[in-house]
Amino acid sequence: MRHILAVAIAVTLMATIVSAQERSQTQSTAVPGPDDALNGEKIFGSSCGFCHQGGGRVAGRGPKLAGTDRPDEYLLNRIRVGKEGAMPAYGRAFSETQLRALVAYIRSLKDGNQ
Amino acid sequence: MTTKRTVSYLAGLATVLLVAGACSMSTSETAGGTARASMSDPSGNDWTTYHGTYRSWHYSPLTEINADNVKRLRVAWVHHPGRSTRGLQSMPLVADGVLYYTGSYSRVWALDAATGKPLWSYFPKLNDDLVAAQTHSPYTRGIALGQGKVFVGTVDGRLIALDMKTGQPAWDTKLVNSEKLTVGFTGAPLFVKDKVIIGSQGGEWPGRGPIFGVDAASGRKVWEFFTVAGTEESKKTWGGESWKTGGGGGWMAGGYDPETNAVWWGTGNPAPLYDWAGFDWKTSGPRPGDNLFTTSVVALDADTGRLKFYHQELPHDAWDFDSSVGEFVMLDRDGKKLVVHPNKGGHVFVYDRKDASVVNVWQLAKNINFVKGVDPKTGALIGRRDLPLGKHTNLCPAIAGGMSWNSGAYSPKTGLYYKIGQEWCMDLEVIKTTPVLEPQAQLDIGANFTLRNPEGAKAHGHLSGRDPVTGTKKWEVTFPEPPLASLLATGGNLVFVPDPRGMLRAYNAETGQELWSHNNGIGHNGGIISYSAKGKQYIAVATGWGSLVGDEFGALFGEPFKSMPKDSGAIVVFTLE
């Protein structure tokens, strides 16, 4: 009985690890699509539009994001860890998928005042 | 819509009375349980509570510095606390020759009030990961004094008592689950009788924004009033389960009326901040109904926390014009006992202190179109502008409000109320959101917006001296940008205005004529007081820039705000040369 239980735990653990690896690979290689940008827009309007005004199209409390030349990894890191006294850290609040949806939304913004 | 009503004690069932100790509370001045006389009477040399006294006048009766000699005002001493992230936003307090104040990260300092010599400091150990995840942080706007202790709320949800003489902690009570709700305390506590009253942050943060009553001697929580659905009756003003994430809060210190034993407190806006239901807000959308007790003034029994009476200034606030901003100026006129309370939307409400019935409502900000008006007899909103899903232009005032959270001042000598008005508007697009509660609650705004000038004018601010009950204006001074700091009136016929560019200005309280100014080198966004120490009168002002409202200035007004540091600030103290 004990042996069966140990095998079951091992199989479950292995499945979890494989699943996590797959998820990680998906996150790091997936090309953001229009759905990601739409999800990102929703998250943005909930938490980010308070400072990045006009949906990120113009400067306000926070900088304008449309047309930013910062690479994706920079944007992701800034959202994750924030900036003291200026921007909260969202690393614990949002999943990798949500963070990438936010970046996809920022990339979808047309550079120009609206 | 009439929302004011007297609430019976039986109706206050949801107020959580945690400890039955009210009957044994001391009412003796000598027992050390009661407030200092200076908290009720503005005739002394000290400044012992956030709003000057329980009457919230922000007035010092001292006359050594006056309209005739203010030109001789010079810097006496300066204290730099360091690490002033978002500037110093706090109101110093003074008792018995010692000046106490808070810096960012809930740090507390005690200084010799005559020389600035540090006596002690206290830096609480905070949850740094939590602070990094907060938006309305890490500033702390004030402290309270009582029973030989200094009380400070922390951004990670604790209330701490320190020995006034040594700075050693007497107790440290966790009141808010900030690790889950993200918000904590930034506003000053209020010491009343033998309790410390403090309101948590809330607003667009999905929670229920409690106000707490804590035993000053032990740190034991005695009562907790939920500003969202704080009674069974008020829960009916929230459709479905929306009361669970309603926001509210009470993030600024209120006032106290000893005659009714009522703590008056202003509450925050509901969450989400903007409501895509638009005109159908009574029956649909994310929070159907009036959403009591958000954007309200509530009068709580100081001993039990039970709701005595209230008025909801904006039923179903859909604009972030909450009632947490605004001092409770208590006046007696023509046999009536009144309280004057400015609302962020730009109107000033005048109430009868016996039951919060509306005596008058007058308009301070000029650019207002979120309502066509407010009935001065009932306080009912006339012609409200609800904002359905989609784009809207020229909503006035902007989210930053027709008035902000720092306080005005009242002089019993001139009979005038001095208050800053803010003139700006915004365009916005209301969108649907879903509250994020796990693993940690997040802002729920519900719109993207952009601040703009009012039609046909530039955004600006103004200071006026008015009758506090009728709003009749005696004089007005305009500013290119709205001053964001608190004001100070003195018995020397002066009104002090710390402005955003860094100038501290003194005006003749009767005429509005500018008499003196001094450049502090950085914007002001905090408190200002006057006191006497070792026989001399002083003016103490907090400097430093970087609040959420101030952060708008760079994009809207350009320099010097684009370049103004947001990690600096000091206490600057003046006296006559």
Side-chain angles (χ1 to χ4, degrees), chain B residues 130-407:
Chain B
L130 168 63
V131 175
Q134 295 177 319
T135 53
H136 300 63
S137 179
Y139 45 82
T140 303
R141 289 171 174 162
I143 48 180
L145 305 177
Q147 292 189 351
K149 302 184 190 76
V150 180
F151 305 102
V152 60
T154 68
V155 289
D156 59 0
R158 293 177 288 153
L159 182 63
I160 299 174
L162 307 171
D163 184 285
M164 278 176 83
K165 290 197 181 340
T166 65
Q168 290 301 307
W171 48 258
D172 183 335
T173 301
K174 180 79 168 172
L175 292 170
V176 177
N177 184 1
S178 301
E179 287 69 19
K180 180 78 176 172
L181 297 171
T182 313
V183 294
F185 298 115
T186 53
L190 179 72
F191 180 77
V192 174
K193 294 163 85 174
D194 59 355
K195 291 192 180 57
V196 189
I197 319 290
I198 190 165
S200 82
Q201 296 175 289
E204 47 278 7
W205 289 89
R208 295 181 66 195
I211 299 167
F212 299 94
V214 175
D215 178 61
S218 65
R220 184 167 39 90
K221 183 170 72 175
V222 178
W223 55 259
E224 179 172 3
F225 175 79
F226 290 104
T227 58
V228 173
T231 64
E232 286 302 317
E233 186 185 2
S234 64
K235 196 179 282 185
K236 295 171 189 164
T237 67
W238 295 85
E241 301 289 291
S242 61
W243 60 275
K244 291 180 178 174
T245 54
W251 47 272
M252 286 298 295
Y256 175 61
D257 180 8
E259 289 188 38
T260 57
N261 194 34
V263 172
W264 286 71
W265 215 269
T267 67
N269 53 283
L273 199 160
Y274 297 97
D275 181 353
W276 59 85
F279 315 110
D280 300 322
W281 58 264
K282 288 185 181 176
T283 54
S284 65
R287 47 180 173 87
D290 280 351
N291 304 153
L292 287 172
F293 297 96
T294 60
T295 311
S296 304
V297 295
V298 294
L300 307 177
D301 185 287
D303 299 323
T304 66
R306 284 180 175 151
L307 183 68
K308 295 165 84 75
F309 40 81
Y310 71 94
H311 176 82
Q312 188 174 35
E313 293 182 334
L314 304 184
H316 194 89
D317 179 1
W319 312 278
D320 191 10
F321 296 151
D322 64 275
S323 305
S324 277
V325 309
E327 57 281 7
F328 290 90
V329 181
M330 298 191 192
L331 307 164
D332 298 343
R333 180 181 287 189
D334 301 330
K336 280 192 172 175
K337 296 175 187 302
L338 306 173
V339 60
V340 177
H341 180 256
N343 172 278
K344 188 179 169 187
H347 292 88
V348 177
F349 289 72
V350 184
Y351 301 105
D352 191 319
R353 291 212 299 275
K354 72 175 186 300
D355 59 2
S357 57
V358 172
V359 173
N360 191 25
V361 182
W362 53 271
Q363 186 173 335
L364 180 82
K366 293 160 189 170
N367 290 278
I368 294 179
N369 65 18
F370 78 98
V371 288
K372 287 198 168 81
V374 180
D375 187 322
K377 290 190 173 66
T378 66
L381 305 189
I382 301 166
R384 53 184 290 150
R385 181 180 174 185
D386 287 300
L387 304 163
L389 206 62
K391 292 186 176 178
H392 305 270
T393 58
N394 196 41
L395 175 70
C396 308
I399 186 172
M403 289 174 265
S404 193
W405 59 269
N406 265 305
S407 295

Side-chain angles (χ1 to χ4, degrees), chain B residues 532-544:
Chain B
S532 181
K534 294 183 179 162
K536 288 194 80 173
Q537 184 184 357
Y538 294 87
I539 309 288
V541 65
T543 72

